[in-house]
Amino acid sequence: MSESTTAPATTDTIPEIDESLAPAEGWHVLHLFYQIDRSQWSMLTSEEQVERKTALTRLVQELRQHPNTQLLMFSMLTPRADIGFMLLTPDLRDANAFEKRLTISMGPDVLVPIYSYFSMTERSEYTTSAEQYGETLRTERGLVEGSDEFNTAIAEFNARMEKYGKDRLYPNMPDWPVFCFYPMTKRRSGADNWYSLDFETRRQLMAGHAAIGRQWAGKIRQLITGSTGLDDYEWGVTLFAKDTFDVKGIVYEMRFDEVSARYAEFGDFYIGIQVRLQELFQQVSL
Ligand code: 76R
């Protein structure tokens, strides 16, 4: 290496531990999946086992009290994972520390991390703009631009979209029992490169996707979180349902939609049951 005049890194620009690392908008989201090391667990006395269950219980209660923080718990299907958490919290330092504490909460080597995903809530790039909505009002409803009716419709639209945008950035997670998580990327190969499509084409394709999605209203709640630059795929897809049949149904149906058929690549699927704190240990046989 040639002699450099660059000053060595100092800690001067690193913010103090109590300074916020909350993002400009949205929350950090962690999906955490663990296997239980049953041989490790079986070596503990029953008193120790109770202590460790209590430690996890207390930690979950504590984290759920943290401002703007949601922590969901899942008993996972198949030996792919036993326990899952989904954590939403604004500050990066909290997300980081909470994950470490969850991982060691039941003592060393009991919860073995086997998959995790880091993403952030985000607003959609493809929601309808007020201009586009105005166009629909003119062409489909025959309203005259500037008329009272037109202006009222636009004002209502703006209010609805503002609430909708907030719901995506600061969602309230449902307590629905069937949980499905998988990461997804838009393809970038040869003629099927999502990122070389112009915005209007992508917008139209996404409108088709959304139209299919809306048919599942009441059966599926979804949260799409962005992870470009943060994790291996570009989005985390989190689905909640009351019936496994609907998870299988929507994912199957989406496969025929061009956005998924032509442009989507998926990671592994994690399926779980959302459980109450007092149900977790019984459900996972601890
Ligand atoms: O803005 C909105 O949220 C409404 C329109 C909408 C967008 C922009 C929407 C609606 N989605 C959007 C974005 Mn979706 N979604 C998926 C999957 O398995 C598969 O094939 C795909 C996984 C499902 C099941 C699903 C469901 N969606 C996205 C994005 C970001 C893309 C980008 O920015 O380029 C991804 C990766 C993605 C994937 N989507 C809906 C649904 C459902 C059920 C809806 C209707 C929601 C509603 O109207 O309440």
Side-chain angles (χ1 to χ4, degrees):
M1 214 175 97
S2 65
E3 247 179 84
S4 164
T5 53
T6 313
T10 70
T11 54
D12 287 355
T13 56
I14 299 178
E16 298 275 334
I17 200 102
D18 58 354
E19 278 180 61
S20 166
L21 288 184
E25 60 176 35
W27 287 332
H28 293 107
V29 180
L30 280 172
H31 289 79
L32 305 169
F33 300 104
Y34 299 89
Q35 280 170 352
I36 298 160
D37 186 330
R38 307 256 172 201
S39 58
Q40 200 69 30
W41 185 251
S42 68
M43 288 184 324
L44 301 173
T45 65
S46 50
E47 289 78 31
E48 284 171 326
Q49 291 183 346
V50 171
E51 268 170 35
R52 295 186 179 198
K53 289 190 212 172
T54 310
L56 175 61
T57 303
R58 293 227 170 99
L59 178 61
V60 170
Q61 284 165 338
E62 180 198 322
L63 300 187
R64 284 180 171 170
Q65 297 298 315
H66 197 81
N68 297 318
T69 297
Q70 294 171 66
L71 177 61
L72 284 68
M73 274 189 334
F74 311 102
S75 170
M76 300 303 296
L77 271 289
T78 86
R80 183 172 282 189
D82 294 310
I83 293 181
F85 297 105
M86 180 177 179
L87 172 75
L88 301 93
T89 201
D91 195 286
L92 183 65
R93 231 186 297 268
D94 288 336
N96 176 229
F98 294 170
E99 177 267 310
K100 303 303 169 211
R101 291 180 64 194
L102 283 166
T103 301
I104 58 168
S105 61
M106 298 192 75
D109 299 331
V110 173
L111 293 182
V112 182
I114 49 103
Y115 189 69
S116 62
Y117 206 76
F118 177 44
S119 59
M120 293 169 74
T121 59
E122 65 177 17
R123 55 175 96 230
S124 165
E125 201 180 331
Y126 303 107
T127 39
T128 315
S129 66
E131 289 73 42
Q132 284 158 358
Y133 188 66
E135 179 68 21
T136 312
L137 291 177
R138 277 192 299 273
T139 56
E140 287 174 24
R141 287 177 47 191
L143 299 188
V144 178
E145 184 156 6
S147 67
D148 284 352
E149 212 182 338
F150 183 92
N151 289 343
T152 309
I154 291 284
E156 282 168 4
F157 172 82
N158 284 335
R160 202 163 61 236
M161 292 314 278
E162 193 185 319
K163 179 183 181 313
Y164 177 72
K166 285 212 179 94
D167 285 347
R168 279 199 54 147
L169 284 174
Y170 308 106
N172 251 322
M173 299 311 291
D175 58 4
W176 293 13
V178 183
F179 160 83
C180 169
F181 173 79
Y182 52 102
M184 175 182 158
T185 285
K186 295 274 177 76
R187 187 165 291 139
R188 284 180 283 135
S189 69
D192 297 338
N193 187 335
W194 176 259
Y195 294 91
S196 56
L197 300 175
D198 59 65
F199 179 75
E200 188 49 30
T201 309
R202 282 182 282 128
R203 195 185 67 75
Q204 278 171 16
L205 285 167
M206 285 306 292
H209 164 89
I212 295 180
R214 279 194 295 274
Q215 289 166 14
W216 291 86
K219 292 185 173 167
I220 293 286
R221 294 270 311 264
Q222 110 281 22
L223 182 68
I224 304 299
T225 48
S227 51
T228 308
L230 304 180
D231 213 322
D232 294 346
Y233 288 77
E234 293 164 352
W235 290 278
V237 178
T238 306
L239 305 178
F240 291 93
K242 293 172 184 162
D243 186 334
T244 333
F245 185 72
D246 294 324
V247 171
K248 186 158 104 33
I250 188 174
V251 177
Y252 181 71
E253 199 176 318
M254 288 277 176
R255 295 282 158 108
F256 293 96
D257 177 63
E258 194 171 350
V259 174
S260 293
R262 191 157 172 205
Y263 296 105
E265 287 173 5
F266 302 99
D268 290 342
F269 284 65
Y270 284 83
I271 311 295
I273 303 168
Q274 181 164 201
V275 286
R276 292 164 203 274
L277 191 46
Q278 62 271 29
E279 292 163 352
L280 176 73
F281 299 117
Q282 189 191 355
Q283 189 66 33
V284 300
S285 287
L286 271 190

